Structures are given as C-alpha cells and as structure tokens.
Amino acid sequence: MFHAITRKILFNNMLYIFIFCVLPVNSWAQSSDRIGWSITPYIWASSTKVDLTFRDTGIGEGNISFKDLLDVLDTAGMIHIEAGKDHWRMFGDLTYLKTSDTTERQLLTVDTRSKQAFADAAVAYWPGGVGSQLSFYAGLRYSGFDDRYRFNLGEIPVGEQHTSNNYYDALLGVRYRFDLAERWALLTRGDCSFGDSEGTWLVQANFAYTVGKLRQNRFLFGYQYKQAKFQDGDLVSKFTYHGPMAGFNFRF
C-alpha cells in the first residue's frame, strides 16, 4: 500500500507539494489478561491545496490532485500499529515517502529529489476500557523534510540547493466509535498538534466492516480532512488536504 507526499521549488517560483495521513484504528473488545495488537496498512487518496506566504505577503498557491502526485512518487510506505490492554493502549504511525521530479523553464532545468518522514507516537486512554466507544490520546508528532534541487542550463550544472527541516509537535486527540449494525461501525477521530510547526488539525470518519470467522479483521473506508502550517525562515506554507481513504485492519 502506499500513500504520497512531495514538495518542489521552481526557479523564481516556489511550490510545495505535501500529503500527510494517519488512519486511526479503534480497538475491539478483548480480555484484560493479554495484550491486544492492531496493524493497519492504508492509503489516503488526497487532493492538496498549498498556500505560500513570504514575510506576510502571499506569493502563490496551487492545487495538486492525487493523480499528479503519483507521477512523481518513487517509494512510499506507511503503517499504523497499536498495542495495549485494560484502559490503555500505545500506538505508532509511520509514513516514509521518496519523490523525484524534473521541471523545465525555458533554458533552465530543475531536478528535485525529496524524502519525507512522518511519525505519530501516542498513548490512548479508554474511560470504559479498551474496546469501548470513547478514547482520548496524547503524544508526539514528527514531520521531517529533506529536499535536494539541482539546476542545469541545458546539460551544464549551474548549482545545487539542499534544505532539511524537522518539526516536533505535541499531539492531542479524541476518537469515538458508533456501532451501526452487527458487522458495521463508524470510526471518527479529531486531533490537533502544536509546537515547532504553526499548528495542524485533522478530522476523519471511516466505516468499518468486520470480516473473518472470529470477526477480528476489518475493511476500512472513509474520508479525511486536514490542515497543516509550517514555517521555514520567512516562508510559511499552509497545506489543506482532503480525500477518500481505505485500509485493512488486522487484529490479534
């Protein structure tokens, strides 16, 4: 499974492309004497809007479709893992993406190579015990960007640029499960993070359909909306992402 994130800077015109996703997994009922595990590979087919501000002056905006993103994606991997029992669980979500793109502007060619890593690590608490409908979570959100740009006049290299930025944020959120039928549920989530970044917030809703003889696994499909803002010197980048998402949840 894959999911995607990319940024690119053009000569005299800068454009960042970024997608970030997290697919939460609500827990299932389990006995209190063992640790329950949940693993979910997923995809978020998000469209992205980017707004750039330099020294409080808007310098441009752009819209990137999921199809456009796939054209520059080289490698992607993401996974969500949870483990715990009683009233407590710990979860981690890791996303890694590698992209490349080439842009030609008259005589100038810009080759872009980007690597992005995103990770959430949090502790979740269920007031009614793991497997009940309501949970709260708190932890740390990491966003890392590493971008390399090579400028060429025809076949002649004329310069290179390398930027690397890391952001660490405190993460707070809540999840709630609506039981719709014997095999159907609606999983909802909302969170915000703040710290090194200028702030992010996310809302999400996924339908879950339970499968298997033991009814431990689930198909997930739904929709997610997210806003995030990052500052790099005098440049502020605001991202708005929205689109459908899907995954498969293994529970044991």
Side-chain angles (χ1 to χ4, degrees), residues 136-157:
F136 303 93
Y137 59 93
L140 177 70
R141 172 168 287 165
Y142 166 78
S143 304
F145 305 89
D146 187 275
D147 302 301
R148 297 178 183 272
Y149 309 94
R150 178 175 297 176
F151 304 92
N152 302 286
L153 283 174
E155 300 296 327
I156 304 174

Side-chain angles (χ1 to χ4, degrees), residues 27-242:
S27 296
W28 68 104
Q30 62 181 66
S31 61
S32 61
D33 60 348
R34 71 176 182 88
I35 296 178
W37 290 84
S38 173
I39 300 177
T40 307
Y42 61 91
I43 180 175
W44 182 22
S46 173
S47 297
T48 306
K49 180 182 178 182
V50 186
D51 293 290
L52 302 179
T53 303
F54 184 77
R55 294 181 179 177
D56 299 324
T57 301
I59 61 173
E61 63 179 36
N63 291 280
I64 304 96
S65 69
F66 183 65
K67 180 179 180 300
D68 293 335
L69 182 67
L70 293 180
D71 292 338
V72 298
L73 181 65
D74 295 328
T75 305
M78 63 188 63
I79 191 169
H80 184 99
I81 301 175
E82 293 197 21
K85 63 179 182 178
D86 298 328
H87 293 269
W88 297 93
R89 299 206 97 191
M90 297 181 65
F91 72 79
D93 190 285
L94 175 64
T95 298
Y96 173 81
L97 301 109
K98 182 179 180 180
T99 61
S100 61
D101 192 20
T102 298
T103 303
E104 296 183 359
R105 293 178 60 86
Q106 297 178 350
L107 298 178
L108 182 68
T109 300
V110 183
D111 294 321
T112 305
R113 301 292 182 269
S114 298
K115 296 179 182 178
Q116 299 87 26
F118 305 94
D120 286 354
V123 175
Y125 174 71
W126 274 259
V130 169
S132 58
Q133 293 173 298
L134 176 66
S135 68
F136 303 93
Y137 59 93
L140 177 70
R141 172 168 287 165
Y142 166 78
S143 304
F145 305 89
D146 187 275
D147 302 301
R148 297 178 183 272
Y149 309 94
R150 178 175 297 176
F151 304 92
N152 302 286
L153 283 174
E155 300 296 327
I156 304 174
V158 295
E160 294 186 0
Q161 182 180 355
H162 176 216
T163 63
S164 180
N165 296 290
N166 299 289
Y167 303 89
Y168 296 89
D169 288 346
L171 175 66
L172 297 173
V174 60
R175 300 186 290 190
Y176 192 84
R177 186 188 74 244
F178 296 89
D179 295 319
L180 305 177
E182 184 178 2
R183 290 180 178 265
W184 286 93
L186 176 64
L187 313 182
T188 62
R189 172 192 177 186
D191 69 36
C192 64
S193 65
F194 48 90
D196 289 344
S197 77
E198 300 303 297
T200 70
W201 64 273
L202 174 149
V203 292
Q204 181 188 102
N206 280 287
F207 288 102
Y209 179 71
T210 304
V211 296
K213 292 183 178 180
L214 299 180
R215 299 188 180 184
Q216 286 186 298
N217 303 324
R218 297 184 296 193
F219 287 104
L220 303 172
F221 58 94
Y223 201 86
Q224 180 169 272
Y225 181 93
K226 179 181 177 67
Q227 283 190 356
K229 185 184 291 187
F230 300 95
Q231 184 169 357
D232 181 10
D234 293 323
L235 180 69
V236 176
S237 306
K238 179 181 177 181
F239 305 95
T240 302
Y241 330 97
H242 58 91

